[in-house]
Amino acid sequence: MKALCWQGVNELSVEQVPDPAILNAQDAIVKVTASTTCGSDLHLLGGYIPAMRAGDVIGHEFIGEIVDVGPEVSRHRPGDRVVVCSIIGCGRCWACRHDEWSLCENSNPKPGVTDLMWGGTTAGIFGYSHAMGGFRGSHAEYIRVPFVDYNAFTVPEGVSDLDALFASDAAPTGWMGAELGGVRPGDVVAVWGCGGVGQMAARAALLLGAERVIAIDRYPERLAMAARHVGCEVIDYTSTDVTAELRERTGGRGPDVCVEAVGMEADSTGIQRVYDGIKQQLRLEQDRPIAVREAIHACRKGGSVFVLGVFAGFVDKFPLGALMNKGLTLRGAQQHGQRYIPKLLDLIAKGDLKPSYLATHTMTLDEGPKGYDMFKHKKDGCVRAVFRPWA
């Protein structure tokens, strides 16, 4: 079959790879009908995520049709149109039973790297390095889905493929940031990053009752998209001091909840950009925590900061003093998608959430390298590129 493969830093190619097969009784084979880029993929391309190997199939956010199932699969059958969570959960371990699916104790068959780096095993993730299980990704014609009864969700009639596609990762990740960040009716919420996840976090905050949501980015197309489709306020961080602007807009107090949806390659206009950029390139720190620092300083006393952006290792100049003395709550996680996807599909079916607008560019799988180039460099206003393997 045809698949989009990682070949090295900033190098992708479309290759022929073996078709997937049922390996375990709870597996299914899914024919991928649409798969999208994600900002976390750029960390793979940049060489910041360990344990990638040439030929690895990337991609983790997708929708498709089940074409084969293992003998122990009970909730799905061939022909089902399903959206699949990017995070793989077994459905039976302590973490899964407590709805903390990204902490699954059984789905990552290669836990050595995560045990060493983070002090514990986390869930497997499609197409996201051998540290996260070495599973083939979704930018392919077919994909094997382990524990399919827990990780695939039937798409309701009337919900389009493009809307359902973003229920795989962007929408549940954003919803989790708002919900676990503690958004309550009447809150003021600030979201760093207007990519797909950031916009979904902003929309989730509004749906959870936030009085105001302020999204922060520097790309005019993304800021305009967030204002138009999400209905939030926006700040261009290249034109103002973000912390001062947030204080001004909140009567001097700061946002109640701050959601960081940027991750390890965060940017800025100040000296931090130079400092963190040099240290990251020299591998003196693994991640650039610019947006996290800003969120901690901007958040009101006693407020909450939630980290949605992907981080892999160690950071420098972390404002622990501000965190402690301001009495902030800091949380973070990979998405617990299985907790949220059914609810999100219902919201999409009712018309309360329409994430398909994120798909600014649709192309064939053969155009995958071009799509990622556009996505990485924000060419032609690209927010998300969607690949249709069978187009």
Side-chain angles (χ1 to χ4, degrees):
M1 70 171 183
K2 190 183 298 182
L4 183 61
C5 300
W6 185 91
Q7 301 295 0
V9 175
N10 294 320
E11 186 179 350
L12 296 173
S13 65
V14 178
E15 306 289 344
Q16 289 291 325
V17 302
D19 289 350
I22 299 289
L23 299 182
N24 297 299
Q26 300 166 60
D27 288 351
I29 305 299
V30 171
K31 178 182 178 180
V32 178
T33 53
S35 181
T36 182
T37 58
C38 177
S40 59
D41 294 332
L42 300 182
H43 310 323
L44 300 176
L45 293 181
Y48 299 116
I49 301 295
M52 288 294 292
R53 300 175 188 171
D56 284 348
V57 180
I58 65 169
H60 57 264
E61 192 165 357
F62 64 104
I63 184 174
E65 177 188 335
I66 292 179
V67 295
D68 194 13
V69 296
E72 294 182 11
V73 174
S74 60
R75 299 179 185 176
H76 294 290
R77 60 178 182 267
D80 285 357
R81 184 171 66 123
V82 294
V83 60
V84 180
C85 185
S86 62
I87 301 290
I88 303 168
C90 74
R92 297 179 178 86
C93 70
W94 186 94
C96 291
R97 287 187 284 107
H98 285 78
D99 257 354
E100 296 179 340
W101 295 82
S102 69
L103 308 180
C104 178
E105 298 163 343
N106 296 321
S107 64
N108 185 349
K110 302 178 180 182
V113 173
T114 57
D115 280 345
L116 178 65
M117 292 181 62
W118 305 329
T121 302
T122 56
I125 303 177
F126 291 106
Y128 215 74
S129 87
H130 292 267
M132 310 309 294
F135 295 95
R136 281 189 187 171
S138 61
H139 295 334
E141 294 176 319
Y142 296 94
I143 186 170
R144 180 178 73 92
V145 177
F147 306 111
V148 70
D149 280 340
Y150 298 99
N151 298 308
F153 299 84
T154 301
V155 178
E157 291 292 330
V159 172
S160 72
D161 277 9
L162 279 183
D163 278 321
L165 169 62
F166 294 103
S168 170
D169 187 291
T173 301
W175 192 280
M176 181 186 71
E179 183 175 286
L180 297 189
V183 173
R184 294 176 294 186
D187 278 351
V188 177
V189 179
V191 178
W192 275 255
C194 287
V197 169
Q199 292 192 45
M200 290 296 98
R203 181 61 183 156
L206 288 170
L207 290 171
L208 288 169
E211 181 177 327
R212 297 169 64 196
V213 176
I214 305 166
I216 303 150
D217 206 296
R218 69 184 172 105
Y219 293 99
E221 300 89 348
R222 304 207 309 183
L223 290 165
M225 178 182 282
R228 182 170 66 253
H229 291 282
V230 176
C232 61
E233 303 172 41
V234 296
I235 293 175
D236 179 351
Y237 70 75
T238 66
S239 65
T240 188
D241 181 310
V242 171
T243 300
E245 180 75 15
L246 288 171
R247 294 275 165 77
E248 177 70 21
R249 296 194 189 192
T250 57
R253 189 185 68 206
D256 301 289
V257 178
C258 294
V259 178
E260 193 276 358
V262 183
M264 66 171 67
E265 295 182 75
D267 206 350
S268 76
T269 57
I271 189 65
Q272 290 185 76
R273 179 183 186 184
V274 178
Y275 175 85
D276 284 300
I278 291 173
K279 293 206 73 172
Q280 188 181 49
Q281 291 305 311
L282 294 176
R283 299 302 190 260
L284 297 176
E285 69 173 345
Q286 289 169 288
D287 308 325
R288 301 199 300 261
I290 297 169
V292 176
R293 290 192 197 110
E294 195 166 75
I296 289 172
H297 282 287
C299 193
R300 73 160 170 85
K301 292 176 289 185
S304 172
V305 177
F306 198 95
V307 179
L308 279 182
V310 171
F311 288 84
F314 299 98
V315 301
D316 195 7
K317 302 296 186 288
F318 183 80
L320 185 59
L323 177 74
M324 181 267 172
N325 287 286
K326 290 174 68 178
L328 301 181
T329 298
L330 176 66
R331 297 188 69 177
Q334 294 275 8
Q335 64 136 338
H336 306 312
Q338 291 84 345
R339 184 195 301 191
Y340 301 110
I341 291 173
K343 176 193 302 184
L344 293 168
L345 289 173
D346 286 343
L347 288 172
I348 292 170
K350 294 174 183 175
D352 294 328
L353 185 66
K354 298 292 288 182
S356 56
Y357 74 88
L358 295 170
T360 54
H361 295 75
T362 301
M363 53 192 67
T364 66
L365 188 58
D366 286 322
E367 296 174 290
K370 172 187 173 183
Y372 268 97
D373 180 66
M374 294 178 67
F375 178 57
K376 179 176 181 177
H377 298 103
K378 312 298 185 288
K379 295 179 180 178
D380 193 33
C382 183
V383 173
R384 286 294 186 97
V386 174
F387 306 126
R388 290 192 175 275
W390 301 95

